[in-house]
């Protein structure tokens, strides 16, 4: 039988642990809450917002409208419970999950050309066919190195790509092997893209991307329209 949860009202636990218990006890996984509700639950407690954000370093997933476009700017969603930080010895920050400071954020954005490294969109640029402007953020990406070791690196992504790529693992060794296997002509094309750090997509490239984004029923309709099998 599991031991009962400590009370989130216990001031001796510390703000982060109390915030975690408040999410579990008062909000519930999958439910939304507002900053006003959080602050009302912890009156007089300074930086309660920051302490709740610290939970992300322990595997807790708390989405804002940057990750979930259905949320309003004042809303957050408790998506997934991580480590039970209220237990003894469980509130030690995981390696590689230190908060990303403003200076480091600017450095990563500059090195990534101030664009999403997944889709190439820039801040404020509208997504095709929408009135939604892109917002860039810094994501942590697990990378498999050529020797098989793994590390976590920072990369610039827009909100859309970041949400869709949470579980993505980059395999650098596989990319290096694939590049080495290119024909000389294809390798020269790739080297040109690398020199300019960008690729110009043709109308055909954009059409293929649009096709791949369609649901299967619509993809089948397009194939039928074009007489493709």
């Amino acid at each position: 039988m599991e031991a009962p949860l400590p009370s989130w009202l216990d001031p001796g636990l510390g703000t982060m642990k109390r915030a975690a218990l408040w999410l579990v006890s008062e909000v519930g996984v999958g439910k939304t809450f507002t900053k006003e509700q959080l602050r009302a639950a912890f009156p007089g407690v300074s930086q309660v917002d920051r302490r709740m954000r610290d939970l992300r370093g322990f595997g807790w997933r708390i989405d804002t409208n940057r990750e979930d476009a259905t949320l309003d700017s004042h809303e957050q969603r408790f998506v997934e419970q991580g480590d039970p930080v209220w237990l003894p010895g469980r509130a030690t920050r995981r390696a590689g999950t230190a908060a990303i400071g403003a200076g480091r954020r600017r450095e990563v954005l500059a090195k990534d050309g101030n664009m999403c490294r997944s889709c190439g969109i820039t801040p404020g640029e509208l997504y095709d066919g929408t009135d939604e402007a892109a917002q860039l953020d810094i994501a942590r990406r697990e990378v498999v190195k050529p020797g098989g070791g793994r590390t976590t690196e920072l990369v610039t992504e827009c909100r859309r790509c970041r949400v869709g790529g949470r579980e993505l693992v980059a395999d650098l060794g596989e990319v290096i092997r694939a590049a080495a296997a290119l024909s000389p002509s294809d390798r020269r094309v790739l080297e040109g893209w690398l020199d300019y750090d960008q690729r110009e997509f043709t109308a055909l490239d954009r059409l293929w991307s649009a096709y791949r984004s369609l649901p299967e029923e619509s993809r089948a309709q397009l194939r039928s329209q074009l007489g493709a099998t």
Side-chain angles (χ1 to χ4, degrees):
M1 184 176 179
E2 293 186 3
L5 292 176
S7 171
W8 66 272
L9 295 169
D10 183 356
L13 287 174
T15 303
M16 185 182 73
K17 296 179 180 181
R18 290 180 60 202
L21 289 164
W22 179 77
L23 286 173
V24 174
S25 303
E26 303 296 321
V27 178
V29 173
K31 303 296 181 58
T32 62
F33 63 95
T34 65
K35 293 180 180 179
E36 290 72 22
Q37 289 173 322
L38 173 64
R39 291 167 183 167
F42 295 84
V45 178
S46 63
Q47 297 189 325
V48 64
D49 295 5
R50 183 186 295 269
R51 298 289 78 79
M52 177 165 285
R53 288 196 298 272
D54 287 344
L55 288 170
R56 294 186 174 113
F58 299 93
W60 291 65
R61 181 177 164 191
I62 305 162
D63 284 359
T64 66
N65 68 340
R66 295 196 312 189
E67 295 84 20
D68 184 345
T70 67
L71 296 173
D72 290 333
S73 59
H74 66 286
E75 289 182 311
Q76 298 183 63
R77 189 186 307 279
F78 175 27
V79 179
E80 183 179 355
Q81 179 182 332
D83 289 347
V85 293
W86 52 84
L87 295 179
R90 300 301 291 271
T92 301
R93 181 177 289 278
R94 294 176 176 178
T97 58
I100 303 170
R104 180 63 174 138
R105 174 185 169 84
R106 288 193 296 270
E107 178 185 355
V108 174
L109 284 166
K111 287 183 176 180
D112 283 344
N114 286 289
M115 69 172 68
C116 173
R117 302 309 298 185
S118 293
C119 70
I121 202 166
T122 56
E125 184 179 349
L126 299 181
Y127 291 102
D128 285 344
T130 75
D131 294 325
E132 180 185 357
Q135 299 178 35
L136 299 188
D137 205 349
I138 306 302
R140 291 182 171 88
R141 178 65 42 75
E142 187 175 359
V143 179
V144 180
K145 295 295 187 177
R150 291 180 176 240
T151 186
T152 299
E153 300 177 8
L154 301 180
V155 64
T156 304
E157 283 188 323
C158 69
R159 182 173 63 187
R160 281 189 176 185
C161 291
R162 187 179 181 212
V163 171
R166 291 184 187 279
E167 306 303 322
L168 181 63
V169 176
D171 192 332
L172 177 59
E174 179 60 30
V175 175
I176 291 174
R177 287 189 293 273
L182 290 174
S183 67
S185 60
D186 285 346
R187 181 160 183 161
R188 285 193 295 272
V189 172
L190 176 62
E191 289 172 351
W193 294 342
L194 298 180
D195 286 341
Y196 289 99
D197 196 27
Q198 70 178 59
R199 173 191 171 189
E200 291 294 332
F201 290 93
T202 66
L204 187 58
D205 289 324
R206 291 192 292 271
L207 182 57
W208 172 251
S209 178
Y211 164 74
R212 289 294 301 273
S213 69
L214 293 171
E216 170 53 28
E217 184 177 347
S218 294
R219 295 199 305 272
Q221 184 176 347
L222 178 60
R223 291 195 298 269
S224 176
Q225 186 76 23
L226 297 177
T229 56

